[in-house]
């Protein structure tokens, strides 16, 4: 379970929640039953990948009349401190890690169409459907996908 992998004595999930808490008034974790923040289920069903998580967050944001949804994966490390500013205005995403993005709640219908349609069910298909702007960073954030990635991150001082 990648979210529960530890780096520097903290789970990747806890690190992501802490990071988002510094930028956002309200943080939710999607697709888990327990977490260090309130949780909500994926939309429309479990197992839909990052799109299902973002769809759930967008539905909540629309219902709560929030301005935007900032998303990060638990496996994204070394994100810049000014990430929300770099991604504003929504919609925008990191070109190197499309799950990291700033999305308008008005994108609910578009993400529903991607998830329930016959075309590509991918972050990039969603981003293209809403005209999201890719943002390139000078330094590519770390992406933890393997035990070797985790070990390499453990050896870096800035994560």
């Amino acid at each position: 379970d990648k979210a529960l992998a530890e780096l520097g004595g903290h789970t990747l999930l806890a690190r992501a929640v802490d990071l988002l808490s510094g930028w956002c008034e309200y943080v939710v974790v999607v697709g888990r039953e327990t977490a260090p923040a309130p949780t909500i289920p994926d939309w429309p069903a479990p197992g839909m990948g990052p799109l299902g998580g973002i769809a759930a967050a967008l539905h909540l944001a629309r219902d709560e009349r929030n301005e935007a949804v900032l998303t990060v994966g638990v496996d994204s490390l070394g994100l810049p401190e000014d990430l929300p500013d770099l991604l504003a205005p929504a919609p925008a995403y990191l070109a190197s890690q499309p799950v990291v993005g700033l999305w308008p709640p008005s994108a609910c219908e578009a993400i529903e169409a991607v998830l329930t349609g016959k075309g590509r069910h991918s972050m990039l298909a969603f981003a293209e459907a809403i005209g999201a702007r890719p943002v390139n960073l000078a330094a590519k954030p770390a992406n933890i996908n393997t035990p070797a990635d985790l070990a390499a991150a453990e050896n870096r001082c800035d994560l």
Side-chain angles (χ1 to χ4, degrees), residues 88-141:
Y93 63 95
L94 290 188
S96 63
Q97 293 184 32
V99 74
V100 178
L102 187 64
W103 315 103
S106 61
C108 279
E109 287 183 24
I111 203 165
E112 288 173 12
V114 170
L115 281 166
T116 60
K118 295 187 188 259
R120 294 182 308 153
H121 295 181
S122 72
M123 286 300 306
L124 291 179
F126 167 58
E128 290 170 11
I130 64 170
R133 170 178 54 85
V135 173
N136 290 298
L137 299 177
K140 186 177 174 182

Side-chain angles (χ1 to χ4, degrees), residues 11 13-14 16-18 20-21 25-40:
T11 65
L13 177 59
V17 168
D18 288 348
L20 284 167
S21 294
E25 290 179 33
Y26 186 62
V27 175
V28 297
V29 175
V30 183
R32 298 192 72 85
E33 289 187 24
T34 59
T39 63
I40 58 174

Side-chain angles (χ1 to χ4, degrees), residues 2 5 10 22-23 30 39 48 58 60 63 67 70 78 82 84 86 90-91 101 115 118-119 130-131 134 139 157 159:
K2 188 188 316 188
H10 301 282
W23 292 322
V30 183
T39 63
M48 301 298 290
L58 287 174
L60 178 64
D63 295 347
E67 184 178 312
L70 178 63
D82 60 344
L86 294 171
L115 281 166
K118 295 187 188 259
I130 64 170
C157 302
L159 300 176

